[in-house]
Amino acid sequence: GVSTQMTYNAAYDAYPAWSPDGTKIAFMSQRNVSTTQTYQVYVMDADRPEDTVANPTGNVPKQVTNPDGVSTSAKAQCARVIWSPDSSKILFVGSNFLAQPKQELYIMDAVDSDGDKWGDNLVRLTDNLGIKSTGVSISDPMQFTAGGRVFFTMGDRAGKFNIYSLDPTGVNKDIWQQTAGPHQADFICLSGDLKMMARISADDNTNSGIGVD
């Protein structure tokens, strides 16, 4: 098929995520930020390219994470974004947001109704502030199950990367460890019926293999 350029900006745009209902695209961008090392989340309509002077489509990407007021030395930034199955919410990894210096998982509405450049009803899902290791890292890919849990990989709670899951509503703060160390587990792929999970695991000799749970 023929590819269509969707964004037109001098800054870097990366990691697009199409909403399940096909109407929106969320993506990471370095536009409108104070440092070139800071990515933020934007949402745009998926049916036409970004608005430009030469092509006034009316499709202006909306910023839904906001580093304003955060020290630029902290480099408040987002990494990767996924949609809820009903396309109403966005889940993302953020660091140095809301006085949280480590990487955390956040969820919010996909709309900003009050114009503050934050998605409505922002909730932090993880709390890594008390983890002694300075290298706590949350990695992609993340899988958001319909009516279920969010699966993600996280390092240094169990010494190496392992797969965890949590309640995306934020009501239940329990984090379940889905794989056990000491071997590293990463790159989750859930089955269509959400009952099985395939993963790539690496042993202490850095040999990798595919496992199914």
Side-chain angles (χ1 to χ4, degrees):
V2 178
S3 62
T4 300
Q5 183 174 341
M6 294 296 291
T7 60
Y8 291 84
N9 193 279
Y12 288 107
D13 296 330
Y15 307 120
W18 211 311
S19 64
D21 64 8
T23 64
K24 302 288 185 181
I25 296 173
F27 62 96
M28 313 301 301
S29 181
Q30 291 183 341
R31 62 181 72 192
N32 300 326
V33 295
S34 57
T35 169
T36 58
Q37 298 186 24
T38 303
Y39 279 98
Q40 300 302 321
V41 180
Y42 285 77
V43 176
M44 65 183 297
D45 293 336
D47 60 351
R48 61 199 188 282
E50 179 179 358
D51 185 273
T52 64
V53 174
N55 184 25
T57 64
N59 190 11
V60 179
K62 305 295 184 183
Q63 184 177 347
V64 290
T65 60
N66 184 5
D68 289 351
V70 178
S71 170
T72 56
S73 63
K75 295 183 174 61
Q77 61 183 340
C78 305
R80 300 292 178 147
V81 58
I82 59 172
W83 290 84
S84 63
D86 65 0
S87 301
S88 68
K89 293 185 177 292
I90 289 175
L91 186 143
F92 67 94
V93 178
S95 56
N96 294 306
F97 280 110
L98 307 181
Q100 297 293 319
K102 295 183 180 180
Q103 283 193 331
E104 306 285 1
L105 279 178
Y106 297 86
I107 192 168
M108 63 187 175
D109 294 347
V111 297
D112 169 23
S113 61
D114 59 7
D116 65 354
K117 298 182 181 178
W118 278 110
D120 297 346
N121 300 310
L122 178 70
V123 176
R124 176 169 52 83
L125 297 175
T126 58
D127 185 4
N128 291 323
L129 188 61
I131 305 301
K132 292 182 179 179
S133 171
T134 59
V136 172
S137 177
I138 298 175
S139 178
D140 60 5
M142 297 175 289
Q143 299 275 343
F144 205 140
T145 64
R149 299 177 70 81
V150 172
F151 288 77
F152 60 99
T153 55
M154 182 166 60
D156 283 343
R157 281 200 171 202
K160 293 184 177 180
F161 272 90
N162 274 285
I163 297 171
Y164 296 80
S165 71
L166 52 72
D167 173 12
T169 66
V171 175
N172 182 354
K173 295 293 185 179
D174 291 341
I175 296 179
W176 299 350
Q177 184 172 334
Q178 304 290 149
T179 58
H183 305 319
Q184 180 160 309
D186 208 344
F187 301 107
I188 314 157
C189 181
L190 298 178
S191 63
D193 60 7
L194 307 179
K195 294 181 179 179
M196 299 288 287
M197 175 178 65
R199 54 181 167 76
I200 295 177
S201 297
D203 61 21
D204 291 332
N205 296 317
T206 68
N207 297 314
S208 295
I210 296 175
V212 176
D213 298 309

